[in-house]
Amino acid sequence: MIALSHIYVLLPAYNEASSIIEVINGLKNKGIHNILVINDGSTDNTAQLVRQEPVHLVNHLINRGAGAAIQTGIELARHQGWPYIALMDADGQHDANDILVLKEKMEQSNCDLVVGSRFMKNGNQIPRTRIVFNFIANLMTNIFSKKKFTDSQSGLRLLNRKAIESINLELDGFGFCSEMLNKAEKADLKIEETATKVLYTKYSISKGQDFNVGITTAFNFLWNIFFK
Amino acid sequence: MEIRIFQILVPLAALLFIISFINRYTKSKASLKETIFSIILWLSIAIFSVFPDIISNFVAELFGFKSNINAIIFLSLGVLIYSQFRMYTLIKDQRQQLTKLTRRLGLEEFENKEE
């Protein structure tokens, strides 16, 4: 059994003043009180709002991307000896209850990394552009991986201590999603996927990966595979 | 040998660049490696502009091109692609250094607060 008090939720946040408090409260309502916000050089009052909450806060002085924020969170988890970390988007697209779903999956399958898949759950209303984008991203990720992932770009994940210790990310941007799966497989970690909810709003769509970011992400991912 | 205008202008421009790089080096604004590389580059350009036909024919023969113009175009493309690749690698390294620094500062600030 994984105790909720052993799970630390990492929220990478870049200009999320309009959603961060709601996300934090959603987690607290589910009994999750270990929260780390990585403020990735926000220019709005994200950091000020977070400081008023009883959560941990790490500040990046300038914006370095979601991958860089996650790297900071993982490094801190490693130093602090946190046993489990959950990654979650700070834009409100994820349901806090799904952290419990990920926990349950990890308990059942005894795996090291659980990925919340938006495409395994019926009833998730996903914009067509996102479906196409994720299809291409999955295709590219799956070419270089043994396991076939249904949602390689999901930002909702749960890692145990073994995964925290063995995954060293290098990509600053959204490419970290595929990179993490790639490195987890190389480290012989057991990876599972489980169905999770997603709520797309105009706001969360504007915060995610668009076409340009997708091209850059794909290029960086391939560059890292071939030239590193 | 007929002297064309570019055969005077290009070596003069190259001379100016070389003087400027030596000047930068003496003022410690450029490293020795950078200065030597720049001098070799501009000297090569100057020599090529003085003897364009001899050099381009030699390059065409060396790499098996039918015409000297094709040889120069392909060689230039190769140099440009290589320098673009080098530039991208350098920028990527710089960005990674910047990320490392940003992350380190964030973590240090966090650890100091925790203490």
Side-chain angles (χ1 to χ4, degrees):
Chain A
M1 280 287 282
I2 301 169
L4 270 185
S5 59
H6 285 164
I7 299 177
Y8 287 74
V9 178
L10 270 50
L11 297 172
Y14 175 60
N15 291 345
E16 305 283 14
S18 60
S19 61
I20 191 81
I21 298 301
E22 206 179 315
V23 174
I24 291 171
N25 287 336
L27 287 163
K28 283 198 237 159
N29 290 341
K30 293 289 167 193
I32 301 161
H33 297 282
N34 296 324
I35 301 165
L36 167 70
V37 177
I38 305 118
N39 173 41
D40 189 26
S42 296
T43 48
D44 64 1
N45 58 339
T46 301
Q48 288 93 312
L49 288 171
V50 172
R51 273 196 196 101
Q52 291 162 14
E53 298 292 320
V55 298
H56 301 288
L57 172 69
V58 177
N59 265 313
H60 281 180
L61 289 175
I62 51 170
N63 179 246
R64 299 309 302 148
I70 292 296
Q71 286 174 50
T72 301
I74 292 179
E75 195 174 330
L76 191 64
R78 216 174 277 149
H79 286 168
Q80 302 278 327
W82 295 344
Y84 299 93
I85 56 169
L87 315 181
M88 190 175 167
D89 290 354
D91 58 8
Q93 68 166 277
H94 296 137
D95 183 349
N97 192 54
D98 279 334
I99 300 287
L100 309 179
V101 174
L102 298 181
K103 169 179 123 47
E104 206 173 295
K105 182 73 182 177
M106 189 171 268
E107 286 166 347
Q108 281 170 2
S109 59
N110 202 24
C111 63
D112 304 301
L113 167 62
V114 187
V115 181
S117 172
R118 295 163 282 184
F119 301 100
M120 284 168 78
K121 192 168 194 88
N122 292 330
N124 275 341
Q125 290 190 325
I126 303 170
R128 244 180 246 159
T129 49
R130 286 297 157 103
I131 294 175
V132 173
F133 175 79
N134 280 286
F135 174 78
I136 298 167
N138 286 343
L139 206 68
M140 276 182 55
T141 310
N142 289 338
I143 289 173
F144 300 100
S145 56
K146 291 173 225 155
K147 192 177 165 75
K148 299 299 159 224
F149 298 99
T150 62
D151 194 357
S152 61
Q153 303 307 297
S154 170
L156 189 63
R157 297 168 183 214
L158 180 65
L159 288 79
N160 68 5
R161 188 71 203 164
K162 193 176 167 192
I164 294 168
E165 291 286 355
S166 49
I167 296 174
N168 284 305
L169 299 173
E170 285 169 63
L171 292 178
D172 293 349
F174 285 106
F176 85 90
C177 297
S178 300
E179 188 196 10
M180 183 182 281
L181 300 175
N182 199 267
K183 293 206 162 160
E185 281 198 336
K186 277 186 187 153
D188 273 331
L189 299 181
K190 190 178 174 198
I191 311 167
E192 290 292 339
E193 278 189 305
T194 189
T196 51
K197 282 185 212 157
V198 67
L199 179 69
Y200 279 108
T201 57
K202 264 190 186 171
Y203 176 71
S204 66
I205 290 171
S206 73
K207 297 296 292 189
Q209 300 189 54
D210 58 18
F211 184 72
N212 288 340
V213 176
I215 297 284
T216 315
T217 302
F219 184 73
N220 285 335
F221 176 65
L222 292 176
W223 178 280
N224 238 36
I225 285 180
F226 292 117
F227 296 109
K228 277 279 171 180
Chain B
M1 188 176 95
E2 185 200 343
I3 294 178
R4 285 164 280 181
I5 295 175
F6 77 87
Q7 287 175 306
I8 299 166
L9 289 180
V10 176
L12 273 179
L15 187 68
L16 283 176
F17 276 112
I18 289 169
I19 291 169
S20 137
F21 269 102
I22 291 171
N23 200 21
R24 276 169 61 83
Y25 174 68
T26 53
K27 286 180 180 168
S28 301
K29 285 182 179 171
S31 67
L32 182 64
K33 192 178 154 189
E34 207 180 322
T35 312
I36 290 173
F37 177 79
S38 305
I39 291 172
I40 291 172
L41 177 79
W42 283 106
L43 268 180
S44 314
I45 293 172
I47 292 168
F48 181 70
S49 68
V50 176
F51 308 105
D53 298 330
I54 299 170
I55 294 173
S56 59
N57 282 326
F58 171 75
V59 171
E61 212 168 299
L62 189 72
F63 292 105
F65 286 101
K66 278 185 183 168
S67 95
N68 57 345
I69 303 293
N70 283 349
I72 294 307
I73 289 171
F74 275 96
L75 203 70
S76 309
L77 269 178
V79 170
L80 282 176
I81 290 168
Y82 173 73
S83 54
Q84 187 72 23
F85 180 82
R86 283 272 306 156
M87 199 90 82
Y88 181 77
T89 314
L90 277 174
I91 291 171
K92 218 171 155 53
D93 286 347
Q94 295 287 322
R95 292 175 89 145
Q96 271 180 348
Q97 294 297 325
L98 192 58
T99 301
K100 266 189 193 167
L101 181 67
T102 307
R103 294 184 43 234
R104 178 83 358 247
L105 287 172
L107 287 168
E108 269 178 20
E109 187 198 33
F110 178 87
E111 277 157 16
N112 290 340
K113 268 185 195 164
E114 290 284 292
E115 282 168 12

